[in-house]
Amino acid sequence: MRGGGLVAFPTETVYGLGANALDKAAVKSIYAAKGRPSDNPLIVHIAKKEDFAPLVREITPKAQALIDAFFPAPLTIILPKSDLIGSVVSGGLGTVAVRMPQNETARAVIAAAGVPIAAPSANTSGKPSPTNAQYVYEDMNGRIDAIVDGGECEFGVESTVITLAGETPVILRPGAVTQEMLEAVIGRVELSPAVLNELAENETAASPGMKYKHYAPKARIILVEGSRDNYERFVNMQRDCAALCFEGDNITIPKVTYGAEDNALSQSHEIFSALRRLDEIGAKKAYARAPEKSGVGMAVYNRLIRAAAFCVLNLTKPFTIGLTGLTGAGKGYVCERLEARGYRILSTDLYARRAVEKNSPLLGILAGEFGQDIIENGELNRALLAGRAFADSAKTARLNEIMHPEIIKMCRADASCPCVLDASQLFESGADALCSRLLCVSAPEELRLKRIIERDGITEQQARQRMGAQLSEETLESGADYVIINDGRDINSQLDEFINNYL
Ligand code: TXA
Ligand code: MG
C-alpha cells in the first residue's frame, strides 16, 4: 500500500479496498478497479485517534465529542478538509470523510501501512458491498494486489456517515451507530431526506454516493411494506420470482432469508450476502420484506430501498390493484383474468347496489336529498333517482358525495390482500389513494360505443350521453401505472407486462 498498491481488508462493516490516501495515482486506481464515478469521494481510514487532526481544518467540539464517545467505531465523520487531502480523495469537495475502524485487523493493516488509507467498499460500483473475502475476490480478482481475509464482517452494512461541516449535524448514510446514539452525545441530529427518498433529477446530493444506483443484484428488487401475513399471501401467489424474507416467514416460492424480523443486527449482518445469494439462485425478480425503520433497521431499510431502485409495493393499503376504465372498455374481462390469477375482486357496482338495499340508512339520506318518492315499498326506484341526480352536475356531485364514501367503506371492510378494487369511478371517489397499484383499461371510442349499445340495449344517443359523463380518457390513463389497450390486442400478455413491471 505504501508503494501504491491496492489491498482489500476486512472491517467491522464491510470489506474496504484500500490505497495510500496521500498518493494521488494509487487513489485513482481505486476508482478504476471499482468502476466508480470520480466525483464520489472516499472515506479516509485511520488507526489512531491522533491521526484525525492532520486530515481536517479543525476538529470541532461536536466532532471531538463523537470521537471520544465512539471511536473506534462504524462511524464516519465529515469535516472541512486540510491541504493534506487531495481532490481525488474528496471527489472535488472541500470536505473529507474520516473513520477509525473497530476491527483490529483493519487497524493493524492501516497502522502497518503507516499512512492514512482511502478505502471505499471493495465491490464493483453499484453491486452489494462485500461482507467476506470470497465476495471481494469475485468482484476484484485480477484488478487488485491482495486481499486480507478476516472472515465475515460483524455488522454487514457500511458505517454511519455524519457530516459536521454544516450548521446542524446530518446523517448522510445510516449505519450501526444510530441517530439515537449520536443524539445522546451531541444533541439534535438530522436525517438527510436522501436516506429514504429518491433524489429529484435536478437535486444535488449532499453525499455524492447517494445519487448512484446502489447495492443492486441482478434480480429486480421490489421492497414490500406490510404485515407478515399480507406479504406471505401476496408473494406466495407470484410466479417466476423469489422472496427476500425473514427467517420463519412462510414462503412457498424460492427464497433467501436475511435475519430475523425482530433483530435488526441480524438483518444488517446478512443483507448484502442475501442480495448476492439471490444472484446465486438465479432470481430475476425478488420481493423483499421491508424491515422496521428504527435503530439499525434504518440502515437496512436504506440499503434495501436503494437495491430496489426505490420501487416500493405498499401492501398496508387495503387494495392491491385499483382497476378502472371507461364504460365499454372491457374492465369486466380484465377482472376475470385477474380473478383467474388468484386475485379477489371487489366491484364497486355490486357494493353500490348493496349500499341502498331496503332499510339501509343511506336510502333515507338519498330520499332526504332527492325526494321521498324515490323510495317505493321500501325499495329504491333507480330510474327516478337517476333522472333527478343526473339532471345537472351539482346534483350528480351531491349523489357521488353521498354514495362514494359508503361504497368504499364497504369495500374496505371486505378487502383482503391480494385483491382488486374494480371501480369505474376510482379517481372520483378518491379510492385510488387506497390502492398499491393502478391499472386502467382503455379502448377506442367507437369500439366502446358499439360495445355499450350491444351490451345494454340502448340507443347511440343514450350511450354517448353516458360516455360523456365520465372523466376523460387522458385523465384516467395519466393517473394509472399501466394502461391495457383492449382493441383486439392480447389482454393476457399485457397483464403479464403490468404484473412483471409494476407488481
Ligand atoms: O463502512 C464503511 O464506511 C466502508 C468501510 C470499507 O470502511 N466504506 C465505505 O466507503 O462504505 P464507500 O466509498 O463505499 O462509501 C462512502 C460514502 C459514499 O456514499 C460517499 O459519497 C460518502 O461516503 N462520502 C465520502 N466522502 C464524503 C464527503 N466529503 N462528503 C459527503 N459524502 C462523502
Ligand atoms: Mg460502497
Side-chain angles (χ1 to χ4, degrees), residues 323-326 328-336 349 422-424 441 486:
L323 176 65
T324 192
L326 296 175
K331 213 159 46 62
Y333 180 70
V334 173
C335 277
E336 279 173 32
D349 284 351
D422 162 24
S424 51
V441 188
N486 183 16

Side-chain angles (χ1 to χ4, degrees), residues 9-17 34 36 39-45 74-76 78-79 89-91 93-99 101 119-123 129 157-161 163 172-173 205-210 212 214-215 303:
F9 61 95
T11 82
E12 70 280 18
T13 58
V14 301
Y15 274 70
L17 179 55
K34 279 180 61 86
R36 176 171 172 128
D39 66 345
N40 191 3
L42 305 176
I43 295 172
V44 178
H45 295 66
L75 174 67
T76 297
I78 295 176
L79 284 169
V89 170
S90 72
L93 300 174
T95 52
V96 63
V98 183
R99 143 164 153 81
S121 49
N123 52 285
S129 302
V157 293
E158 306 89 335
S159 60
T160 304
V161 176
T163 177
L172 300 180
R173 180 176 73 183
S207 178
M210 287 191 290
Y212 297 109
H214 238 117
Y215 315 123
R303 306 313 190 271

Side-chain angles (χ1 to χ4, degrees), residues 453-468:
I453 294 171
E454 278 168 19
R455 184 189 66 194
D456 301 345
I458 54 176
T459 66
E460 180 175 338
Q461 195 197 355
Q462 285 169 317
R464 283 200 188 275
Q465 196 178 7
R466 212 187 280 175
M467 286 164 70

